[in-house]
Amino acid sequence: MIRFIIKRLSLAILVALTVSVIAFSLTFLAGDPAVALAGDGATAADIEALRARYGFDRPIPIQYAAWFAKAVQGDFGNSFYFNSPVIDLITARMPVTIILGLCAISFALVVGISMGAIAAIRPNSIIDRIALLVAVIGQAMPSFWFALLLVVVFSVKLGLLPVSGAKSWLNFVLPTIALGYYATPAIMRLTRAGMLEVLRADYIRTARAKGLRTGKIIFKHALRNAIIPVVGLTAVQLGFMLSGSVIIESVFALNGAGQLAFESISRNDFPVVQAMILIFSLIYVGLTLMADVLNAWLDPRLRTS
Amino acid sequence: MKTVLSVALVAATFAGSTAWAGKADDTLRIAFKDELENLDAYQNSARTGIILARHVWDGLIYRDPITSEYLGNLATAWKWIDDTTIEFTLREGVTFHNGEVFNADDVVYTMNFVADPANGVRPARNVEWIKGAEKVNDTTARVMLKYPFPAALEFFAGALPIYPNEYHSQVGPEGMSAHPIGTGPYKVLSNVQGEQILLERNDNYYAGSPKGIPAIKNIDWRTIPEDNTEFAELLSGGLDWIWKVETDQADRFAAMGQFTVVNETTMRIGYLAMDAAGRSGDTPLKDVRVRRAIAHAIDRQGMVDTLIKGASVVVNSACFPSQFGCEQDVVKYDYDPEKAKALLAEAGYPDGFEITLSTNHFDAPPEAIQQYLAAVGIKATLDRAQYGALYDRVQTGEVPFRLMNWGSYSINDVSAITSQFFRGGGDDYARDPEVMAWLETADTVNDPDERRANYSKALKKIAEEVYWLPTYTFNLNYVYNPSLNFQPTSDEIPRFFNASWN
């Protein structure tokens, strides 16, 4: 197990490093940071001065090394746009994104697992068909579209929930559903497949033969085994929730990290973009690593493969 | 995204009438798309920042948006002592939001602070001409200029709010952004970065201000980046006022009959810039006959009538008509495709040519222009890029042919547009020494007649040589609560201190 973890961990670190190199170089392809920094109406001399002052005239690998050395200490420099430390901006915006991500994944788990389990108990029934329909729609519909439909129905038409903002918990209801729905189909399908397989297993037949109540068989024996793969999937989906949050935050005017990343790209605010890509990918790599380890812990066969 | 909105609007049509909240609690709820990075008026260059600054602070002068007349704001009178010195007589009995009394020390402190490049005022062009200021007595201050800069009054009338010297020297720009203090008609109660700014009427606002005493007590100022979210908020009564609504959407709102929809022209104009100087290489655009052919090929009036609509008008001179020095008597090119073809043949391109048209417009006008050019044989390939990315390439001289636009920072003076693009800077693809010389003179002499005469010469030549083909003025749609009295202005600065409930 230790060897497995070490192997996966070093792989994760390599992925994170690669991402950081790509993130750093990509911003130089997007435009000249000195021009972005100088803004409208700057003269060529202004731009040159900025280039020298910020060291944009140095070779990219050297700039990367300098950036990386500071980044590992949590210093991502100052935002061009806000003129304040990037790390402060990110720590101020992260809570909204994390709350939204956790709410959304919880929503997806509750809905996905219950629908998946019900569908598996009654395969090919009306309930199963409805669950399939929900899954197909969830995967096919762009999240911004779904989010706006929710707003039209629940806020504009029925007036039940606020359209946007982050004033109270009510503001998080629609974003949670919009974002969580995106992860629901995968969780549901995996639960359903797992349940179908488990329900056919010998030990379930034994349990039934022993005369255990159906409820107990399903919840205590079948579901617990069936959702093992869902644990790993959840970690990966949580990563998707963070990236999906870029769009959902924009639609619901939630001022989170996703919104910051999105706006910073259009503002050519390179230090923020670089930091956000690195942090998001580190979270993603971390979650994937966690999923691998969890899966291996739950299912010893994976450790040797 | 547009289809989504249609859904929203259709749904709302069936939803019945909107429940407005604004009038009942005397709170005007408004939204802007862009997040204000910093509330300190000298630390941001955003349009939203300019708007906020007008509400929280006062300048020395105020320009009436309707009559364009300069009126005393914190100053009551001003006179040029010489080419580079202006003396302001200051208003008495004015206090800042924190109780600090306004006097000449505040003016001197603010001007000296912003004039120092080390303080990094943004945008630098607003202050780079200021040398410093000195106090004559408590109610008189002089501002010294680095060089003659006749447009200075225009800047005093908008871009230069006066800060309280005691407060600002204690808290600095950071404190000013966190808790802005001014003399303006509204006080900042709270600011949640990127979400919401709450403003409250300054009940001690001085009666003599040309801005007038505000009628509405509270302003709830939100940041909503997504159009559709704004629309949904407006439809559900969560907002009283939005702007920059696209024409087709504004038409839908108008059709619903529950909103006031107003269209107003802006100071922004569109332009086609052609590389006459050959900075991007040897293109057919170096030939004036080709540039004239392009000017005749495009039906700008047709575009305004069918595509742009609203209050937009065709412009022929490379500036916004209300700007000081914007000569209107320049060569006009009517829509005449036959003449365009003849000019192309004369220039040696009877079958036209291929060219790349760069633009930061993601809407229909570039395609319309592409069609007009195709009709006379010019095959234009569209190269669309975001403003920042395109701007970089324009500066380095790589863009032979571009469709862009310019809003002059709402400065009602030709120096903010024509001189920006034709005095040899990175955006200048004409590099005409004569034009550059005229503009330099016009930008730096104080005599209005001499300025006008030199701008006129420059603008006439720009039109004659078709360095630019200006297209039309832009317009904006405002959609708001019908119980709100609001007057849009062409300088793109909504003045909520002049708004009221009816």
Side-chain angles (χ1 to χ4, degrees), chain A:
Chain A
M1 186 73 189
I2 302 274
R3 228 165 87 209
F4 173 83
I5 292 179
I6 290 172
K7 202 172 125 195
R8 285 301 158 117
L9 191 64
S10 33
L11 204 65
I13 290 171
L14 275 178
V15 171
L17 267 176
T18 314
V19 168
S20 86
V21 171
I22 293 172
F24 189 83
S25 336
L26 269 183
T27 49
F28 282 87
L29 291 178
D32 186 336
V35 175
L37 190 53
D40 282 4
T43 64
D46 292 344
I47 295 169
E48 264 321 305
L50 282 170
R51 191 168 284 141
R53 191 165 125 209
Y54 285 89
F56 296 136
D57 47 356
R58 296 170 299 167
I60 291 180
I62 293 180
Q63 289 191 54
Y64 174 75
W67 175 77
F68 187 79
K70 283 188 172 170
V72 291
Q73 300 166 42
D75 177 6
F76 294 100
N78 273 10
S79 156
F80 295 166
Y81 185 73
F82 293 96
N83 217 358
S84 56
V86 172
I87 194 71
D88 293 355
L89 286 171
I90 294 176
T91 46
R93 313 280 175 112
M94 221 43 180
V96 169
T97 305
I98 290 172
I99 290 171
L100 182 58
L102 290 177
C103 287
I105 201 73
S106 313
F107 171 83
L109 282 173
V110 170
V111 175
I113 291 176
S114 36
M115 284 182 73
I118 294 168
I121 295 164
R122 300 252 180 284
N124 299 320
S125 66
I126 285 284
I127 294 174
D128 190 16
R129 296 288 166 203
I130 292 174
L132 183 73
L133 185 73
V134 169
V136 169
I137 293 175
Q139 294 216 307
M141 194 153 52
S143 55
F144 73 86
W145 163 273
F146 182 60
L148 285 166
L149 281 183
L150 288 175
V151 168
V152 168
V153 175
F154 292 100
S155 308
V156 177
K157 215 170 165 187
L158 300 176
L160 294 176
L161 292 162
V163 177
S164 64
K167 274 183 202 152
S168 79
W169 65 272
L170 282 173
N171 288 89
F172 284 88
V173 176
L174 293 182
T176 297
I177 298 173
L179 186 57
Y181 187 38
Y182 184 66
T184 307
I187 293 174
M188 192 190 81
R189 278 172 31 214
L190 204 60
T191 311
R192 181 180 180 273
M195 277 296 272
L196 279 177
E197 197 182 316
V198 169
L199 285 175
R200 280 198 300 266
D202 289 344
Y203 69 91
I204 295 294
R205 203 177 310 134
T206 312
R208 283 194 209 276
K210 273 201 313 192
L212 283 179
R213 279 184 297 113
T214 316
K216 199 166 183 188
I217 296 173
I218 289 168
F219 286 105
K220 195 163 176 206
H221 296 278
L223 196 55
R224 276 175 87 174
N225 286 303
I227 61 170
I228 286 176
V230 174
V231 174
L233 179 72
T234 305
V236 177
Q237 288 290 338
L238 184 58
F240 281 130
M241 295 294 92
L242 292 177
S243 54
S245 152
V246 171
I247 306 231
I248 296 298
E249 281 174 25
S250 173
V251 171
F252 291 97
L254 292 169
N255 198 29
Q259 177 67 14
L260 178 68
F262 180 71
E263 293 284 324
S264 298
I265 292 168
S266 56
R267 289 192 286 244
N268 277 0
D269 196 346
F270 299 113
V272 179
V273 176
Q274 286 164 345
M276 296 299 293
I277 294 177
L278 185 65
I279 290 172
F280 273 116
S281 53
L282 280 180
I283 292 175
Y284 197 78
V285 167
L287 286 170
T288 316
L289 176 70
M290 203 172 82
D292 281 351
V293 174
L294 267 176
N295 276 338
W297 179 58
L298 290 167
D299 187 347
R301 284 170 297 178
L302 290 174
R303 287 175 221 166
T304 46
S305 62

Side-chain angles (χ1 to χ4, degrees), chain B residues 392-455:
Chain B
D392 290 2
R393 286 192 278 137
V394 170
Q395 291 295 315
T396 45
E398 297 165 40
V399 181
F401 191 30
R402 69 185 199 267
L403 174 69
M404 291 180 80
N405 59 77
W406 189 250
S408 299
Y409 299 104
S410 298
I411 301 288
N412 203 26
D413 190 287
V414 159
S415 60
I417 179 164
T418 318
S419 309
Q420 170 83 28
F421 290 93
F422 292 98
R423 265 187 75 179
D427 317 86
D428 185 357
Y429 279 70
R431 302 282 158 122
D432 183 322
E434 240 181 354
V435 171
M436 279 152 74
W438 287 324
L439 289 175
E440 194 180 337
T441 309
D443 285 349
T444 49
V445 295
N446 277 335
D447 176 26
D449 292 331
E450 199 184 341
R451 294 190 70 207
R452 235 184 235 116
N454 279 285
Y455 283 135

Side-chain angles (χ1 to χ4, degrees), chain B residues 1-2 7 97 100 128 151 213 233 236 257 318 339 445 467:
Chain B
M1 284 287 190
K2 273 184 192 165
V7 175
H97 299 152
E100 197 177 320
E128 63 196 5
I213 305 290
E233 283 284 11
S236 64
K339 200 167 176 182
V445 295
Y467 294 138

Side-chain angles (χ1 to χ4, degrees), chain B residues 20-29 237 240 481 501:
Chain B
W20 302 107
K23 191 178 175 180
D25 59 1
D26 204 0
T27 301
L28 175 61
R29 294 174 172 82
D240 296 299
N481 179 344
W501 304 112

